[in-house]
Amino acid sequence: MILIVAEQANGKLSKSTLEMVQAARDLARDLGSEAPVTVLVLGSGVAGVAAEAAKLADQVLVADLPALEHYDPELWSAAVAQIATEGETSLVLIGGGRAGREFSPRVAVKLDAALIEDAISLKVEQGSIVAERYSFLARVTERFQAVAPVVVVTLKPGSYPAASALPEPCEQFDVELNLPARRVQVTGRESVKSGRVSLTEAEMVVAGGRGVGTAEGFTELVEGLADQLGAAVGATRAVVDAGWRPYSEQVGQTGKTVQPKVYWAIGISGAVQHLSGMGKSKLIVAINRDADAPIFKVSDYGIVGDVKEIVPALIEKLRT
Amino acid sequence: MRILSVIRQVLDAEENVRIAADRVDLASSKLVIDSMDEYGVEEALRLREKLPDVEVIVMAVGPERAEAGLRTALALGADRAILVETSEALDVIAVSSVVAQVAQREQADLVLCGGQQADWDCQGLGAAVAERLNWPQSTWTTKLAIEGSAVTGKHDVDDGTETFALSLPAVITTQQGLNEPRYPTLPNIMKAKKKELRRQPLESFSVTPRLKLLHAEVQVKERLRVMIDGKKDPAASATQLVDLLRNEARVLA
């Protein structure tokens, strides 16, 4: 079977899970009839998520346990490795969020598997999984062949279309898990709640850099434009380091990777580390005072000028 | 306490990527210690300054020239260095087994490495090492404190941050915000030349590569590069942009 570990947030399946299902459906054909698409749902109070998954998969496995209320890499990897072993899985798909990128290596080691992080495409060639992924700050596209009977893959968000629902929901099975004790105590949580669409799932992202001037300038220009467009908000490392914005909004090498339909770069010069997080966006719009800024070399549309004059004019124009 | 800090020599971000024979060719490129790993070296040195009896070992898995990065780390203050020499481009899971074997042989209590490496663009090394050693981990750590065997700290997760507590031995992956890495001074660069740097062939470890690189290429997406002058009349440039996005690109309603 192909085992997909459901990624979820706020009681709903994340878009990344639908993308993994689509990737699995494409691969199931090549891996043969022995490869039904199985979704594993881990958590506490996840009946709703499991029901959603049942509309997408050939079978859904559910571990709805109080012990799984909060994610932990050791618990998650133990659960996934156990289910993968019991189901004689050859391919495990895990979401490409922070958590998935963190527990997937443990799953790979437990299963003595190959690990392919952040894959953008998957194929079966002569019985082996072949994957493409970006490397060298997303400047290089590399193609790898997995040399192991089991392969663990995290899929880069946005690389596959979301799978459509099936006419009939599939069967759900409860699974029993042998979970290890938690060794990492989480002593506090701070989550950044925003009313906006999530950064990695957004079709449009408005991001700001140092060029917006101040934290207040960021709020007025970047958030103002994002709200007008219904877009997510992103920021450069410089802006996060300056304390204007939370780290959860950072786009780039040390932050999130996004590939929306439209990426607006407001007052962003375009350092290589930033480009590695957004350079694959389908359309890039840049507004910057400096005509020689590297961001214009990767932009589809650019305005050379003062963001403090142009962005308010844009917001006004879009409002009418 | 013994701290093992793992570093990688990666392409300087300002350098162009060159491809030869289906792979990235670094032969004539400038390499630097991965900035994410530098936070780990710095943190190890700060822990040694704060705590009694700490030894800092820095290690790398790579070709002979990776020695330059280890010498830099020694100049920063690491006590000794280990280079596991190989010309093979190993995958993360394979490297994790070498790191875990070194950690065991050296009886390390703490392994530090960068949250993501700028050549692989992979985040898995720390967690894979932790799994091999059966140790707990914290990834993307921005604050770290150690007292006895008790570790506390703060790290980033998908939708915010968490504070955590765990016990040594452990693996911690590092990133920006954890500290400000120091620069080597000239006297320390001279002293570093006399510090121990042990070379070991990869063959003295048991390693099974799990990925085979078939092809690498630099794909440059063609961009339209339409430029609008917004200096003279900002409002007109805004109107022009919105019209283009609506009627030409068709991405706005």
Side-chain angles (χ1 to χ4, degrees):
Chain A
M1 67 185 193
I2 299 176
L3 181 64
I4 298 168
V5 185
E7 206 172 31
Q8 51 187 300
N10 308 316
K12 291 190 70 178
L13 275 186
S14 301
K15 197 170 146 199
S16 60
T17 305
L18 278 67
E19 295 168 3
M20 289 190 280
V21 169
Q22 187 57 51
R25 283 183 191 168
D26 292 354
L27 287 167
R29 282 194 295 266
D30 296 327
L31 288 172
S33 59
E34 301 291 300
V37 177
T38 304
V39 174
L40 173 64
V41 178
L42 300 172
S44 177
V46 289
V49 177
E52 261 189 278
K55 292 178 198 151
L56 296 161
D58 299 326
Q59 63 171 339
V60 171
L61 306 178
V62 191
D64 197 336
L65 304 167
L68 296 177
E69 187 184 346
H70 291 295
Y71 159 77
D72 174 284
E74 295 181 63
L75 269 62
W76 256 241
S77 58
V80 174
Q82 182 195 323
I83 299 298
T85 305
E86 288 170 4
E88 296 178 5
T89 306
S90 56
L91 178 63
V92 182
L93 295 178
I94 295 173
R98 273 272 144 90
R101 297 287 290 275
E102 180 184 70
F103 78 81
S104 56
R106 283 187 177 266
V107 176
V109 170
K110 281 179 197 290
L111 299 175
D112 199 11
L115 173 67
I116 301 169
E117 287 188 56
D118 234 14
I120 55 170
S121 79
L122 292 170
K123 273 189 201 132
V124 180
E125 287 179 13
Q126 283 133 34
S128 320
I129 297 287
V130 171
E132 280 187 311
R133 62 182 305 278
Y134 301 129
S135 59
F136 290 87
L137 300 176
R139 291 183 287 175
V140 177
T141 307
E142 290 184 324
R143 197 165 77 236
F144 288 97
Q145 181 189 356
V147 195
V150 181
V151 185
V152 176
V153 176
T154 60
L155 211 55
K156 191 179 191 66
S159 300
Y160 277 82
S164 52
L166 300 170
E168 293 290 329
C170 70
E171 246 188 298
Q172 297 181 33
F173 303 92
D174 285 322
V175 291
E176 296 209 359
L177 298 174
N178 306 312
L179 295 172
R182 247 171 226 269
R183 289 192 289 188
V184 180
Q185 306 308 318
V186 176
T187 49
R189 283 192 176 82
E190 259 179 71
S191 60
V192 182
K193 292 268 178 263
S194 94
R196 295 192 188 87
V197 51
S198 103
L199 187 53
T200 46
E201 293 189 358
E203 299 216 322
M204 209 179 281
V205 172
V206 180
R210 277 275 193 191
V212 302
T214 58
E216 294 71 33
F218 195 103
T219 304
E220 184 200 333
L221 303 175
V222 180
E223 292 197 273
L225 183 59
D227 288 341
Q228 194 58 48
L229 293 165
V233 169
T236 62
R237 173 173 174 170
V239 159
V240 174
D241 280 352
W244 299 355
R245 303 302 298 182
Y247 174 75
S248 57
E249 290 180 0
Q250 186 175 314
V251 173
Q253 182 199 2
T254 48
K256 293 197 166 76
T257 300
V258 298
Q259 40 185 351
K261 285 193 176 141
V262 186
Y263 187 91
W264 296 73
I266 312 295
I268 291 175
S269 62
V272 176
Q273 290 84 351
H274 186 72
L275 298 181
S276 79
M278 45 63 76
K280 310 296 178 190
S281 302
K282 288 180 190 69
L283 192 89
I284 296 174
V285 181
I287 304 167
N288 199 298
R289 182 199 303 267
D290 177 8
D292 297 322
I295 191 75
F296 286 124
K297 294 194 174 67
V298 300
S299 295
D300 296 286
Y301 298 98
I303 300 183
V304 181
D306 186 348
V307 293
K308 294 182 197 73
E309 293 176 349
I310 290 156
V311 177
L314 270 172
I315 294 171
E316 188 53 35
K317 172 76 184 166
L318 289 165
R319 192 175 284 152
T320 54
Chain B
M1 179 167 70
R2 200 167 277 157
I3 303 176
L4 180 64
S5 177
V6 186
I7 63 167
R8 271 184 89 72
Q9 286 282 89
V10 298
L11 187 66
D12 186 306
E14 304 304 321
E15 291 264 297
N16 284 325
V17 183
R18 289 176 49 246
I19 305 277
D22 268 343
R23 51 207 58 214
V24 172
D25 177 15
L26 298 172
S28 57
S29 305
K30 186 185 169 199
L31 303 185
V32 294
I33 300 180
D34 194 302
S35 62
M36 300 277 248
D37 298 336
E38 275 180 329
Y39 297 110
V41 175
E42 178 63 33
E43 199 62 18
L45 299 175
R46 289 186 189 204
L47 287 168
R48 193 185 59 192
E49 285 157 12
K50 264 181 256 171
L51 303 169
D53 300 326
V54 173
E55 187 188 25
V56 176
I57 308 169
V58 59
M59 75 165 286
V61 180
E64 191 183 354
R65 66 187 297 207
E67 187 178 324
L70 292 172
R71 285 285 170 209
T72 304
L74 290 172
L76 290 169
D79 296 303
R80 57 191 173 92
I82 299 167
L83 172 61
V84 178
E85 231 179 304
T86 176
S87 53
E88 262 185 87
L90 293 174
D91 63 273
V92 173
I93 292 295
V95 171
S96 78
S97 83
V98 179
V99 173
Q101 288 169 66
V102 171
Q104 273 169 334
R105 288 180 197 181
E106 299 294 336
Q107 296 180 303
D109 304 286
L110 175 65
V111 173
L112 297 168
C113 73
Q116 174 167 329
Q117 285 73 34
D119 50 356
W120 288 322
D121 288 5
C122 280
Q123 304 178 0
L125 182 60
V129 170
E131 179 63 34
R132 288 191 188 278
L133 294 167
N134 189 21
W135 291 1
Q137 75 197 55
S138 164
T139 55
W140 298 100
T141 313
T142 53
K143 263 188 200 162
L144 190 67
I146 297 181
E147 243 190 275
S149 67
V151 181
T152 53
K154 190 174 178 184
H155 74 152
D156 288 320
V157 294
D158 270 318
D159 60 348
T161 60
E162 283 176 355
T163 51
F164 64 84
L166 53 84
S167 288
L168 292 177
V171 176
I172 302 287
T173 81
T174 56
Q175 62 153 326
Q176 76 176 88
L178 182 61
N179 54 46
E180 270 309 317
R182 68 196 68 188
Y183 292 96
T185 61
L186 192 59
N188 286 343
I189 292 171
M190 301 311 289
K191 267 192 238 165
K193 290 184 179 162
K194 294 196 182 110
K195 287 185 179 172
E196 177 190 323
L197 192 157
R198 200 166 77 221
R199 290 155 165 244
Q200 285 182 271
L202 183 69
E203 291 68 35
S204 61
F205 296 87
S206 110
V207 183
T208 315
R210 288 297 180 202
L211 291 180
K212 186 174 154 197
L213 178 62
L214 301 175
H215 179 73
E217 66 181 55
V218 176
Q219 283 180 343
V220 181
K221 191 169 173 353
E222 286 298 317
R223 296 287 178 183
L224 299 171
R225 296 181 68 174
V226 174
M227 296 287 274
I228 303 165
D229 180 1
K231 288 199 166 143
K232 282 189 196 118
D233 189 344
S237 72
T239 302
Q240 194 187 339
L241 176 62
V242 171
D243 287 344
L244 284 167
L245 293 177
R246 277 189 179 139
N247 305 320
E248 191 180 277
R250 295 177 186 275
V251 292
L252 292 181

